[in-house]
């Protein structure tokens, strides 16, 4: 018997989401069904909503789901019905990078997260005889129910509200993981985040947790810098046309040890590189538009500096997400001020508020 779900369906590129009643396929081998309680919204969803990225329509997006397992298919042993779970990105478990504990660089990442169908080729949703695509990031969580895989379903033991759990699946993992894993920020480091949106602020919270001695947030929106200060930034810089490198060096004359760039903008990346201390490291995590190029003076790197890129915070969700939730429950990673809750039927308002900078991390709640 197919399960009925209420889902926010995107039917045309650039169009709005519309709540529709769909049938959800039964979970196959290695798959499970989750009754969703919350799902964060991220700029990756907005990118697919607005621009052609190879994702077929109509489709159900959403990739920061959290909820309760309802049913499991054959071979699923890590979770059982009734478990509280967070859903993250999908990976195959069989390729070279998955085998070496780097599922974020899975060879089958695009197929498993963007193709619009499940790994067994089925479209997860239907409306009468018409298929509706899904399987977005191994979940499609802008809905009341989702099909996920054992590998991207993370069991949660901690008593944390679902609206706070949902963003661990992608945005918090990406930002915090880039600071903890990719850059290994330490108490002796000075730290800068370029772009104080939800991912940048998650990176900054990791720097706060590790006790970095100077923590500088750079953004064009003054309200975000105010929020950054309440979360632990020691300094903020409003990027209003001023020389950002000079502003950073006025705070840390010898330069910065670790920088996370969330913008992917050439001038911003160059300003960051020029603000790095010798042997400093900068990591980029933004997905940029096709054709984007970044220019900088290569001599900048000769001081032992490095520029790296990372996906999903170099994190394996099965180990990193429980660990990061543990930092949260220990009072060391407080992302609650980033979150604004919306009902599922207010999804278009939530997206508009995020795009306009009125909220940092909208989270849909499915009561
Ligand atoms: Zn793989």
């Amino acid at each position: 018997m197919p399960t009925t779900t209420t889902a926010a369906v995107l039917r045309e590129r650039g169009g709005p989401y519309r709540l529709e009643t769909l049938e959800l396929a039964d979970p196959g081998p290695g798959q499970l069904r989750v009754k969703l309680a919350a799902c964060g919204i991220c700029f990756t969803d907005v990118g697919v909503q607005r621009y052609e990225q190879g994702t077929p329509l109509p489709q159900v997006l959403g990739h920061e789901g959290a909820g309760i397992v309802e049913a499991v298919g054959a071979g699923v042993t890590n979770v059982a019905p009734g478990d509280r779970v967070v859903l993250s990105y999908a990976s195959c478990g069989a390729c070279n990078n998955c085998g070496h504990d780097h599922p974020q660089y899975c060879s089958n990442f695009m197929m498993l997260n963007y193709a619009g169908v499940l790994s067994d080729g089925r479209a997860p949703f239907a409306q009468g005889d018409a298929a509706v695509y899904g399987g977005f990031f191994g979940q499609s969580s802008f809905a009341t129910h989702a099909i996920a895989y054992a590998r991207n379903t993370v069991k949660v033991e901690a008593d944390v509200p679902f609206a706070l759990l949902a963003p661990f699946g992608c945005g918090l993992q990406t930002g915090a993981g880039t600071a903890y894993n990719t850059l290994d920020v330490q108490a002796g480091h000075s730290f800068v985040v370029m772009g104080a949106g939800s991912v940048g602020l998650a990176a900054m919270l990791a720097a706060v947790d590790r006790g970095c001695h100077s923590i500088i947030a750079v953004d064009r929106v003054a309200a975000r810098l105010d929020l950054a200060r309440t979360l632990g930034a020691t300094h903020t810089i409003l990027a209003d046309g001023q020389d950002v490198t000079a502003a950073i060096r006025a705070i840390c004359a010898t330069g910065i040890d670790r920088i996370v760039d969330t913008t992917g903008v050439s001038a911003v990346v160059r300003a960051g590189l020029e603000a790095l201390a010798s042997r400093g490291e900068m990591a980029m995590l933004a997905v940029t538009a096709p054709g984007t190029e970044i220019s900088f003076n290569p001599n900048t790197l000769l001081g032992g500096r490095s520029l790296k890129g990372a996906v999903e915070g170099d994190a394996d969700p099965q180990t990193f997400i429980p660990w990061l939730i543990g930092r949260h429950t220990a009072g060391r990673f407080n992302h609650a001020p980033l979150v604004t809750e919306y009902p599922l039927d207010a999804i278009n308002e939530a997206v508009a508020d995020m795009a306009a900078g009125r909220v940092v991390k909208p989270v849909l709640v499915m009561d």
Side-chain angles (χ1 to χ4, degrees), residues 92-93 95 98 106-107:
C92 77
C95 72
C98 281
C106 176
S107 302

Side-chain angles (χ1 to χ4, degrees), residues 98-144:
C98 281
H100 288 86
D101 200 27
H102 289 291
Q104 66 276 22
Y105 305 115
C106 176
S107 302
N108 297 300
F109 192 94
M110 293 306 290
M111 191 273 284
L112 287 170
N113 291 285
Y114 282 90
V117 295
L118 301 172
S119 61
D120 55 23
R122 297 183 297 162
F125 302 102
Q127 197 169 53
D129 292 334
V132 174
Y133 296 105
F136 189 61
F137 278 76
Q139 49 184 290
S140 289
S141 290
F142 290 162
T144 57

Side-chain angles (χ1 to χ4, degrees), residues 39-41 64 338 340-342 350-351 354 359-364:
C39 183
I41 303 176
E64 290 185 344
L338 308 185
T340 304
E341 295 182 28
Y342 293 81
V351 170
M354 180 177 72
V359 300
V360 175
K361 170 55 78 177
V363 175
L364 302 170

